[in-house]
Amino acid sequence: MSERGNDFVVVANRLPVDLETRPDGSHTWTPSPGGLVTALSPVLESHQGCWVGWPGVADAAPEPFRTDAGVLLHPVKLTESDFEGFYEGFSNATLWPLYHDLIVTPTYDRDWWHAYREVNLRFADEVAEVAAEGATVWVQDYQLQLLPGILRQKRPDLTIGFFLHIPFPSADLFRQLPWREELVRGLLGADLIGFHLEANARNFLELARRQGLDVQGEASTREVTAHIRLPQGRTIGVGAFPISIAAKDFAAFTGEEKGDVAKLREELGSPQRIILGVDRLDYTKGILQRLTAFEELLDTGALDPEEVTLVQLATPSRERLDHYKATRSKVEEAVGRINGRFARVGHPVVHYQHRGVAKSLLRCYYRMADVMLVTPFKDGMNLVAKEYVACHDDGSGALVLSEFAGAADELSQAYLCNPFDIESVKAALLNALKALDDAPSTMTQRMLTMHQQVTEHDVQLWSQSFLGCLRQAEEQGAGA
Ligand code: ADQ
């Protein structure tokens, strides 16, 4: 099959592959199915689909290859210096903190900006290479915000969608960015720009208004009722498309799995209540605040270390960046301190793992946990909250959720808290634990309501609604 002539192209910073080392020491690339892959596979497979992205290892680029389902994976090579400037620098030390409302201070570095532009240009070359005449290209996330604009110039025949997986900040914050106009111009190369929430879309529309653009209508969810009309006549749709998970992959526990869940509980010493946190180790996720809230509740005697256990699973993330190193060391110090103060030898009160776990095991952790603590300071959506809810089709469990996670818009039956207010996190956790004891039927109802919401609004709905609106936006707005 030809590598050119793909009618549907997904572009993301990361290609869904992992580099595996064989027993003989040689390397091979294996597909790694994540949420985005699950969402996009049906579309990729039914078209002649292609995924363009970086394979995740600097200076390496496997030959393009097809997955078993026939999707072409097309690697973009990044050098170590691209990785530092484009990925660690501009993407994760400039845009990430800026878009998460300055939880840490962004660094504005001209060399990083140049690297970001260079890499976006390189991605555009690769996409232009593989996309058929008139193809649909769906660009993902903050690392590639210049790509729609560059592609529009290179290939005006393409239909281009852009989706941002992280929040979009208020116009007042965004205007700090020295390269704000170029970035907006990049985004405006798309036919449709999608955000998780209407609030994010409104921030973008406000920014467009302030830049003197003609904005019509207001943002809504899973439909496009807001448009930006460019002076040249092209129209861009803007809307909210809340991402979700492949909910059915997290439901329906077999008898054997239920046995695994019970075993896991025993391994933790069969505490009366288990509280769980699952995150990338990122300063936006509020892991330290959560530990502090737990510690204060132990300290005052509101929680008994003989009865309650906290499990924190933290995947390593962006480990070379200073803010990430500092977050890890503060989290690990807190874990050690809490165990030192409240645990008995052989019976930790906080179990902490700084590694990813396999999806099958993660399901068991979710199902086992009586309370899930999801306390980010800011989060585009937060899939962990939805995964937890999806695992509780029996109505068990309780979710404590930050008001600042996008998921709070949909999961209103959660115990909502303000992670900036430690008393609010403590109160939400205590209320959830108390209600599990005192009002089990209300808790079951709350969980089942959330479970239905997640099941009925899964990731398939997300990709279908975005692509449906992209088709419409293209039909209505294309032209000049
Ligand atoms: P993330 O910031 O990575 O995503 P999230 O949405 O919670 O945050 O997704 C994390 C994923 O990693 C989940 O699927 C979870 O299961 C997995 N994961 C986390 N810790 C793990 C562990 N220890 N072991 C195994 N798996 C683990 C960004 C945005 C979010 C947005 C998503 C999707 O920051 O706001 O929801 O993209 O758009």
Side-chain angles (χ1 to χ4, degrees), residues 96 100 103 278-290 312 324 327 373-384 402 419:
W96 181 268
H100 286 87
I103 296 165
V278 175
D279 313 79
R280 267 190 314 100
L281 211 161
D282 192 299
Y283 54 79
T284 59
K285 303 288 182 185
I287 303 171
L288 183 64
Q289 274 61 17
R290 176 185 316 164
Q312 176 64 54
Y324 288 78
T327 303
L373 269 182
V374 179
T375 57
F377 294 118
K378 189 83 187 170
D379 217 329
M381 177 54 66
N382 194 291
L383 297 180
V384 165
S402 162

Side-chain angles (χ1 to χ4, degrees), residues 97-131:
L98 177 65
Y99 282 31
H100 286 87
D101 290 355
L102 316 185
I103 296 165
V104 304
T105 306
T107 302
Y108 299 116
D109 179 304
R110 278 165 288 195
D111 291 338
W112 291 354
W113 162 248
H114 292 137
Y116 185 82
R117 212 170 40 192
E118 275 306 303
V119 171
N120 272 253
L121 281 164
R122 200 174 315 151
F123 268 81
D125 288 342
E126 302 287 346
V127 175
E129 183 80 3
V130 298

Side-chain angles (χ1 to χ4, degrees), residues 93 155 211 221 229 270 286 300 302 358 395 400 402 406 464:
R155 291 284 305 270
Q211 290 198 355
T221 300
R229 288 192 202 288
S270 302
T300 57
V400 172
S402 162
Q464 281 165 5

Side-chain angles (χ1 to χ4, degrees), residues 14-29:
R14 267 297 253 122
L15 207 58
V17 291
D18 285 325
L19 183 62
E20 234 174 52
T21 308
R22 297 196 190 96
D24 66 359
S26 63
H27 298 301
T28 176
W29 297 95

Side-chain angles (χ1 to χ4, degrees), residues 134-161:
T136 295
V137 176
W138 192 1
V139 181
Q140 310 286 328
D141 226 357
Y142 62 104
Q143 303 91 349
L144 299 173
Q145 291 176 93
L146 298 179
L147 188 54
I150 304 167
L151 268 182
R152 173 72 52 201
Q153 300 249 316
K154 258 180 136 47
R155 291 284 305 270
D157 59 295
L158 300 176
T159 298
I160 304 169

